[in-house]
């Protein structure tokens, strides 16, 4: 059946997400689906399973043209370049791929991993996203990182030489971080940045070592006022440098946005491949939510037995799909298209709530029929979405 443009909005894009679930060590703040395997990982066996899951997903999404591919993790920079090349070959063997496809790989900024960058470029990767996290050695050590600031900056320099596009991540609102120190660190980062930076506020995720330390009173993170000051510094410094936020935590020069992540936030279609990957597919006019088995070896066994690792594959109701569209789209400074909300939900977004939030200066509608969160609204985005959602 033809794809339903009313579900996708104009210029639909199709992204493929590939999850590599292994890291050399587990950072104490992180709750991503990442695992340490001291005995090593059989990459050729995982590759066979990735190929099988790509084939199974492509069989139900024929006719798509892949516009973005993203290797996320875990630590995809632990993959051999040959593994990455073979996965990209499999994607191209099953779907049409756009001539200007964006292919991003997340990398840890160590010298060993930077040594593989040329191999990734030869494999077809054209963008890297580096987990720098901090430019201060004491902070890196407190975050449990295994690299120094110097090593991270050297990896950024190698990325700059090899890839036309690169980004890096920093975590702020760290224990003890002052606004002046963050301002200096962010300015230093901007000197090293090109078109894109991800700036995340440290979140204490449940069931992580940081959560246990925090609960025991051994990890003091900034209170909400202090975190708000650090957020304001982030907006001011990045905006003045021409890298304003285009999403809650993502900053870019115009045109430098991560096109793959825009697929999620614009609620377009994407396939999730690999352990613990999520997808959203439009099949026979219905949006479906997919998720795969999280545990790497269980996923592997499942794919080897059944040809895919899906544990969830269910249709979303119109209300569920519209709420997801709202939740994702309001993260973007461009906001959402109100007509597309109506097409998804079957009814318009509640006018009273819009008027009320607009009166408080938290959201605004544009002359082109979009609804977007204002700079004053972003710090209370969760409450705005809760108010607007069905
Ligand atoms: C999958 S990791 C990045 C790739 C790579 N494994 C690395 O760590 O360099 C994605 C990013 O999420 C951010 N992140 C993870 N846990 C976080 C937390 N609890 N609070 C804030 N940011 C977090 C980090 O900036 C990290 O680089
Ligand atoms: S932050 Fe990156 S390296 Fe650290 S555990 Fe999470 S995914 Fe692995």
């Amino acid at each position: 059946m033809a794809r339903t443009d009313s579900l996708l909005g104009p210029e639909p894009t199709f992204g493929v997400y590939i999850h590599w679930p292994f890291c050399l060590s587990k950072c104490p703040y992180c709750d991503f689906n990442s695992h340490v395997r001291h005995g090593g990982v059989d990459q050729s066996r995982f590759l066979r399973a990735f190929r099988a899951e790509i084939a199974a997903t492509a069989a139900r999404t024929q006719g798509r043209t892949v516009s973005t591919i993203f290797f996320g993790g875990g630590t995809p920079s632990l993959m051999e370049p040959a593994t990455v090349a073979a996965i990209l070959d499999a994607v191209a063997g099953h779907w049409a791929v756009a001539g200007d496809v964006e292919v991003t790989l997340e990398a840890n900024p160590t010298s060993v991993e930077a040594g593989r960058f040329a191999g990734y470029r030869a494999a077809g990767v054209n963008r890297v996203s580096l987990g720098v996290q901090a430019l201060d050695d004491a902070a890196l050590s407190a975050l449990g990182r295994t690299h120094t600031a110097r090593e991270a900056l050297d990896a950024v320099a190698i990325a700059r030489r090899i890839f036309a596009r690169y980004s890096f991540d920093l975590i702020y609102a760290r224990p003890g971080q002052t606004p002046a120190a963050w301002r200096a660190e962010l300015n230093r980062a901007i000197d090293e940045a090109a078109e894109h930076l991800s700036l995340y506020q440290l979140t204490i995720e449940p069931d992580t070592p940081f959560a246990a330390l925090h609960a025991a009173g051994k990890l003091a993170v900034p209170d909400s006022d202090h975190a708000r000051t650090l957020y304001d510094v982030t907006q001011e410094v990045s905006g003045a440098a021409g890298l304003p936020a285009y999403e809650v935590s993502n900053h870019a020069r115009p045109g430098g946005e991560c096109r793959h992540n825009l697929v999620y936030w614009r609620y377009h279609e994407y396939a999730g491949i690999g352990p613990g990957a999520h997808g959203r597919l439009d099949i026979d006019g219905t949006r479906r939510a997919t998720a795969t088995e999280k545990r790497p070896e269980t996923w592997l066994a499942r794919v080897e037995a059944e040809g895919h690792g899906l544990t969830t594959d269910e249709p979303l109701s119109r209300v569920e799909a519209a709420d997801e569209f709202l939740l994702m789209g309001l993260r973007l400074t461009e906001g959402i298209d109100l007509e597309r909300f109506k097409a998804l939900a079957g009814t318009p977004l509640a006018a009273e709530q819009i008027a009320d939030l607009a009166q408080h200066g938290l959201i605004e509608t544009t002359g082109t029929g979009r609804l977007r969160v204002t700079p004053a609204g972003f710090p209370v985005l969760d409450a705005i979405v809760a108010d607007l959602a069905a």
Side-chain angles (χ1 to χ4, degrees), residues 152-208:
L153 290 174
D154 287 347
V156 169
I158 294 170
R160 186 183 302 124
R161 279 205 298 277
I162 292 182
F163 296 99
R165 301 179 63 199
Y166 69 92
S167 174
F168 59 91
D169 302 348
L170 293 177
I171 296 179
Y172 72 97
R174 305 187 304 251
Q177 192 174 37
T178 64
W182 172 228
R183 183 180 289 277
E185 186 177 1
L186 182 54
N187 273 312
R188 173 87 185 89
I190 285 168
D191 287 343
E192 300 289 337
E195 56 172 19
H196 194 283
L197 273 180
S198 299
L199 305 171
Y200 298 109
Q201 263 192 56
L202 177 64
T203 310
I204 302 298
E205 301 288 356
D207 302 323
T208 57

Side-chain angles (χ1 to χ4, degrees), residues 131-333:
V132 169
Q133 320 306 4
L135 293 177
D136 174 277
D137 285 344
L140 285 168
S141 151
L143 289 171
R145 301 293 290 183
T146 58
H147 53 86
T148 61
R150 180 71 266 153
E151 203 178 359
L153 290 174
D154 287 347
V156 169
I158 294 170
R160 186 183 302 124
R161 279 205 298 277
I162 292 182
F163 296 99
R165 301 179 63 199
Y166 69 92
S167 174
F168 59 91
D169 302 348
L170 293 177
I171 296 179
Y172 72 97
R174 305 187 304 251
Q177 192 174 37
T178 64
W182 172 228
R183 183 180 289 277
E185 186 177 1
L186 182 54
N187 273 312
R188 173 87 185 89
I190 285 168
D191 287 343
E192 300 289 337
E195 56 172 19
H196 194 283
L197 273 180
S198 299
L199 305 171
Y200 298 109
Q201 263 192 56
L202 177 64
T203 310
I204 302 298
E205 301 288 356
D207 302 323
T208 57
F210 265 23
L213 285 173
H214 188 246
K218 293 178 181 159
L219 183 76
V221 291
D223 64 21
S224 56
D225 283 352
H226 186 178
R228 176 63 199 268
T229 305
L230 293 166
Y231 171 85
D232 290 343
V233 167
T234 309
Q235 306 315 308
E236 181 208 319
V237 172
S238 64
L243 283 158
Y246 67 97
E247 188 269 349
V248 175
S249 308
N250 284 278
H251 296 249
R253 300 191 194 286
E257 298 86 0
C258 173
R259 284 168 43 211
H260 183 82
N261 287 338
L262 284 176
V263 169
Y264 304 146
W265 296 317
R266 289 180 175 162
Y267 207 49
H268 287 173
E269 214 186 356
Y270 55 97
I273 308 288
H278 292 246
R280 289 289 180 275
L281 303 177
D282 295 309
I283 294 175
D284 295 339
T286 300
R287 175 142 281 226
R288 298 185 75 83
T290 70
T292 52
E293 164 61 42
K294 285 179 82 170
R295 289 161 296 180
E297 291 74 18
T298 313
W299 173 83
L300 196 57
R302 219 176 163 122
V303 178
E304 287 172 349
E306 296 173 33
H308 64 80
L310 288 174
T311 51
T312 302
D313 180 12
E314 56 193 28
L316 295 176
S317 69
R318 295 187 81 158
V319 168
E320 286 169 331
D323 279 351
E324 283 194 345
F325 169 63
L326 189 72
L327 180 80
M328 298 307 275
L330 289 184
R331 297 180 65 89
L332 291 169
T333 53

Side-chain angles (χ1 to χ4, degrees), residues 23 25-27 29-30 32 34 73-75 108 145:
C23 293
S25 58
K26 186 83 194 173
C27 306
Y29 54 85
C30 176
F32 281 79
S34 62
T75 305
N108 278 32
R145 301 293 290 183

Side-chain angles (χ1 to χ4, degrees), residues 79-127:
M79 297 169 92
E80 294 299 334
T83 307
V84 172
I87 289 175
L88 291 175
D89 280 351
V91 170
H94 287 281
W95 286 289
V97 175
D100 65 346
V101 64
E102 175 191 272
V103 185
T104 304
L105 182 133
E106 279 183 344
N108 278 32
T110 73
S111 54
V112 176
E113 290 162 285
R116 288 192 274 266
F117 285 180
Y120 295 140
R121 189 183 67 172
V125 172
N126 52 31
R127 181 176 183 276

